[in-house]
Amino acid sequence: MTKPRILLFDSGMGGLTVARAVAKQIPDAHLIYSADNAGFPYGAWKEKPLVERIRRVVGALVNRAKPDVVVVACNTASTIAIADLRASFEVPFVGTVPAIKPAAAQTKSGIIGVLATPGTVNREYTHSLIHTYAYHCKVFLHGAPRLAEIAEQKLRGHPVNMAELADEVAPVFRKRDGGRTDVVVLGCTHYPLLTEEISKVAPWDVTFIDPSPAIARRVADVAEETVLKGPDANAPAHGTVLLTAARSESSETLAAYASMGFPKHEIIDLPV
Ligand code: DGL
C-alpha cells in the first residue's frame, strides 16, 4: 500500500509536537521534518520579508521532498503565509493557527489566555479568529519573546530557568470581575514542549489547549483525499530532518531531533 509522504515545516523544533501527533494518527506515514533554522525565530520577523522567506524555503523543500501533503507546523508562518503558499504551490497545505475556537467553547469563566509569538499576536488573522469565535470572551493575548527558544533549549537537554519562564507566561493569567483565566491556548507549536513546566509556574490550574491532535486528524483526512505520488527513491528517507543552516549540526540538536523520531538530517540549498 502506498504511504502518504508528509512534509512538516517549522522555523525550528516546535513542529515536532505536531509530527508526534501525526505519527500517532497515521502510523505508516512517511514523515519528513523541516526547520528553517537559519531563519529562526520567525516570531521577530516583519511580515513582508517573512512571507517571501517562507515561500522561498517551502519552494526548496517541496522540490526536495516531493510531498503529498505539507503541514505548516508553525502558527507564526501559517497566520501570515498560508494563503500565499496555497496560491504558489499545487501540493495541499494544512496550517496551524491559534486554537481560539475550542478555547471559547471550553472556557467557563469567559477568560481565555493566548500564548503565542510576538508575530502571531500582531496578525490580522489572529484578531479575526478572536472577533469571530471569542467575541463573547475576554481574551488576553500575549506575545512571549523567549518561549520558543526556551523550549528548544529544553529539547537540547538544558535545564529550564523557571523564573524566566514564569515571567514569559504571567501576562495570560488574569483576574477580572471575580473570575480568572481558565483556558490557555498554546498558540505556538514549540509551547507544548513546555506544558509541564508552564503548569508548575502557573499561579492556578488551567486547561492548556495543544491543537496538535486536531491538526493530525486534519492531515489524515487530507492525505486520504489526495492522490498519492507513490515511492520515490530520491526523496529523503522517513525520519529525515531538512535544515537550512549547518549551524544546527551540533550533536545536542541532532540528538533532540533523533529523540523525536528524526535521526537523519540533510542541509538543503536555498535558491538565491
Ligand atoms: N513554532 C512557531 C509557531 O508555531 C514559532 C517559533 C518562532 O520561530 O518564533 O509559531
Side-chain angles (χ1 to χ4, degrees):
M1 214 186 76
T2 303
K3 300 172 173 183
R5 193 158 53 246
I6 298 171
L7 173 73
L8 297 113
F9 165 70
D10 184 27
S11 54
M13 299 175 172
L16 290 168
T17 60
V18 180
R20 184 168 61 187
V22 172
K24 204 165 160 198
Q25 184 74 33
I26 321 172
D28 67 345
H30 178 138
L31 298 185
I32 301 165
Y33 189 78
S34 58
D36 181 11
N37 57 328
F40 179 84
Y42 276 178
W45 281 64
K46 292 256 183 314
E47 298 196 354
K48 196 166 173 283
L50 183 57
V51 174
E52 283 162 9
R53 167 91 190 170
I54 292 169
R55 193 188 310 130
R56 185 165 151 241
V57 173
V58 169
L61 293 167
V62 165
N63 239 343
R64 174 69 193 97
K66 309 267 183 310
D68 295 305
V69 181
V70 178
V71 185
V72 181
C74 174
N75 295 260
T76 315
S78 296
T79 50
I80 190 72
I82 195 87
D84 181 273
L85 292 174
R86 288 189 173 127
S88 304
F89 304 101
E90 269 178 29
V91 59
F93 285 90
V94 175
T96 317
V97 299
I100 288 161
K101 188 178 176 187
Q106 284 184 43
T107 179
K108 296 208 166 50
S109 67
I111 305 173
I112 297 170
V114 179
L115 280 173
T117 67
T120 300
V121 306
N122 287 327
R123 302 277 188 265
E124 187 46 47
Y125 195 113
T126 306
H127 290 272
S128 114
L129 286 174
I130 294 172
H131 292 144
T132 310
Y133 299 113
Y135 53 88
H136 53 300
C137 299
K138 179 67 201 158
V139 179
F140 291 101
L141 190 55
H142 174 55
R146 293 241 328 125
L147 217 43
E149 178 61 29
I150 297 171
E152 297 225 336
Q153 289 301 345
K154 178 192 166 184
L155 208 54
R156 291 191 183 99
H158 298 274
V160 174
N161 177 333
M162 299 301 267
E164 183 187 22
L165 185 70
D167 285 349
E168 289 278 317
V169 304
V172 297
F173 292 92
R174 301 283 278 268
K175 293 185 177 160
R176 202 179 147 108
D177 300 333
R180 62 189 190 185
T181 308
D182 63 350
V183 177
V184 171
V185 175
L186 301 174
C188 165
T189 53
H190 281 73
Y191 301 168
L193 295 168
L194 290 168
T195 310
E196 209 184 302
E197 289 81 0
I198 298 174
S199 307
K200 281 190 188 142
V201 298
W204 54 79
D205 284 348
V206 295
T207 301
F208 291 101
I209 303 195
D210 167 6
S212 56
I215 298 160
R217 287 194 292 276
R218 177 74 194 131
V219 174
D221 288 347
V222 172
E224 241 179 68
E225 291 157 9
T226 303
V227 180
L228 304 179
K229 294 186 173 75
D232 181 335
N234 295 320
H238 170 73
T240 302
V241 184
L242 305 176
L243 300 166
T244 53
R247 74 166 165 89
S248 264
E249 281 192 89
S250 81
S251 57
E252 40 180 39
T253 299
L254 297 181
Y257 280 117
S259 73
M260 297 290 281
F262 294 88
K264 307 179 186 91
H265 79 284
E266 191 181 307
I267 315 292
I268 61 153
D269 289 326
L270 292 182
V272 205

